[in-house]
């Protein structure tokens, strides 16, 4: 009995704690975005060229950095970023106008300042002067490359919105492949419409290539139009060029426009 203690084994046990993930909702609201944006040094806004007649702003600029290497066959090498990180690296601008039949259009221009290709989802509520919600709309876009800008439109067909509240979420793209860096375009402005010729300078077909144009007088949005640059296969094939017209129906003469493209493969 005196040796009992010498016969007792000593057992060491390791406990793993599973930490809760905390708040997983990475959706960012308009209020949160405005607060964050105020603390950052944003790049300079493009100069207002309202004196020029007309002025085209090229939205599909080449990105400043190259995230590919021969070793990974074109795959992005940037580290995986959380949705919260990505939300903070997307720049937002807002535009709105009422068209000739009384519908209100609200646009969100997104510039992807992150090092990776992303997808974006939005949710917008329109409110009257008393703060009552009178409309809601959602949109999404995929395969937005680093350094590129897209524009998402939201339509409200009733009431007279005085303000808009929004939330948006940004995720690293894990399904669609980007095509924006493969696209180039030329324009011809006739003062009542803009003719755009879009070319796929890449080596693979670009699918669902869509163009959106916003017409401005100074900083005021007057009208918009959208169209697809695709063939019967819903593609813009390598080396091919498709030309389309963007019509203008505003009452006041525009003096500049912005063009945006989307697409994927």
């Amino acid at each position: 009995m005196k040796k009992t203690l010498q016969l007792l084994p000593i057992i060491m046990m390791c406990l793993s704690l599973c930490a809760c993930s905390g708040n997983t909702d990475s959706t960012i609201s308009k209020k949160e975005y405005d607060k964050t944006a105020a603390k950052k040094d944003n790049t300079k806004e493009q100069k207002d060229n309202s004196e020029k007649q007309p002025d085209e702003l090229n939205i599909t600029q080449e990105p400043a950095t190259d995230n590919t290497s021969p070793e990974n066959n074109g795959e992005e090498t940037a580290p995986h970023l959380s949705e919260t990180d990505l939300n903070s690296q997307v720049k937002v601008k807002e535009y709105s106008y009422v068209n000739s039949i009384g519908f209100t259009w609200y646009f969100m221009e997104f510039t992807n300042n992150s090092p990776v290709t992303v997808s974006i989802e939005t949710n917008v509520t329109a409110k009257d002067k008393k703060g009552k919600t009178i409309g809601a709309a959602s949109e999404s876009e995929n395969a937005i490359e680093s350094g590129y800008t897209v524009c998402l439109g939201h339509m409200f067909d009733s009431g007279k919105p005085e303000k808009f509240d929004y939330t948006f979420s940004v995720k690293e793209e894990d399904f669609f492949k980007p095509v924006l860096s493969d696209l180039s375009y030329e324009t011809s402005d006739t003062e009542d419409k803009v003719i755009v010729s879009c070319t796929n300078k890449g080596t693979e077909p670009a699918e669902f290539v869509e163009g959106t144009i916003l017409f401005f007088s100074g900083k005021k949005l007057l009208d918009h139009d959208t169209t697809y640059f695709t063939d019967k296969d819903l593609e813009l094939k390598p080396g091919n060029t498709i030309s389309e017209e963007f019509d203008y129906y505003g009452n006041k003469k525009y003096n500049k426009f912005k063009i945006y493209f989307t697409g994927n493969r």
Side-chain angles (χ1 to χ4, degrees):
M1 295 296 295
K2 293 182 180 180
K3 295 183 179 180
T4 301
L5 293 178
Q6 297 177 352
L7 300 177
L8 291 177
I10 300 175
I11 301 173
M12 302 298 293
M13 302 184 68
C14 299
L15 299 179
S16 302
L17 299 180
C18 297
C20 295
S21 59
N23 182 9
T24 59
D25 183 4
S26 60
T27 300
I28 186 169
S29 68
K30 174 178 173 60
K31 182 177 180 181
E32 292 168 336
Y33 175 82
D34 290 343
K35 182 177 179 181
T36 301
K39 297 180 181 179
K40 292 180 177 290
D41 292 326
N42 291 322
T43 56
K44 289 186 178 180
E45 300 292 339
Q46 294 180 326
K47 292 183 179 180
D48 178 11
N49 297 319
S50 57
E51 298 85 5
K52 297 181 180 180
Q53 302 280 338
D55 181 23
E56 174 200 350
L57 300 181
N58 185 342
I59 299 304
T60 57
Q61 72 281 4
E62 291 294 334
T65 58
D66 182 7
N67 295 319
T68 63
S69 65
E71 290 78 9
N72 62 17
N73 296 319
E75 295 297 324
E76 291 173 340
T77 58
H80 183 79
L81 299 176
S82 71
E83 293 180 36
T84 301
D85 289 335
L86 291 172
N87 282 346
S88 68
Q89 295 184 52
V90 171
K91 180 180 178 182
V92 183
K93 291 185 68 174
E94 304 168 71
Y95 305 104
S96 64
Y97 81 102
V98 180
N99 68 13
S100 59
I101 59 175
F103 291 178
T104 298
W105 281 90
Y106 171 79
F107 294 91
M108 297 180 72
E109 177 190 280
F110 290 96
T111 300
N112 178 14
N113 292 321
S114 79
V116 297
T117 298
V118 302
S119 63
I120 292 177
E121 294 184 356
T122 67
N123 182 252
V124 180
T125 54
K127 299 187 176 183
D128 62 17
K129 62 178 60 179
K130 295 182 179 180
K132 179 182 178 181
T133 299
I134 57 176
S138 298
E139 288 294 340
S140 63
E141 192 55 62
N142 302 306
I144 307 165
E145 289 173 85
S146 173
Y148 284 82
T149 300
V150 299
C151 192
L152 278 63
H154 310 76
M155 188 190 75
F156 301 94
D157 58 4
S158 61
K160 295 181 179 180
E162 291 291 325
K163 63 172 293 189
F164 303 91
D165 286 338
Y166 66 73
T167 60
F168 69 88
S169 62
V170 185
K171 297 181 179 180
E172 189 167 346
E173 183 63 73
D174 59 4
F175 184 79
F176 293 102
K177 295 187 178 299
V179 300
L180 296 182
S181 59
D182 288 341
L183 304 180
S184 64
Y185 71 94
E186 295 180 354
T187 65
S188 176
D189 186 3
T190 68
E191 298 186 1
D192 62 352
K193 63 184 174 182
V194 177
I195 302 167
V196 178
S197 298
C198 184
T199 301
N200 179 0
K201 55 188 179 64
T203 59
E204 299 181 60
E207 300 178 351
F208 308 111
V209 176
E210 183 179 18
T212 297
I213 189 168
L214 303 185
F215 295 96
F216 294 86
S217 175
K219 295 182 178 181
K220 181 177 177 58
L221 179 60
L222 302 176
D223 197 12
H224 86 286
D225 197 11
T226 63
T227 191
Y228 281 94
F229 292 83
T230 56
D231 57 20
K232 62 181 178 63
D233 299 318
L234 301 180
E235 296 177 337
L236 179 55
K237 293 182 171 60
N240 284 8
T241 298
I242 295 178
S243 299
E244 297 290 349
E245 296 183 352
F246 291 89
D247 295 315
Y248 176 71
Y249 296 105
N251 295 322
K252 183 178 179 181
K253 182 179 176 58
Y254 66 88
N255 54 34
K256 68 178 182 181
F257 52 86
K258 289 186 176 184
I259 298 176
Y260 311 82
F261 287 96
T262 56
N264 56 63
R265 63 170 58 97

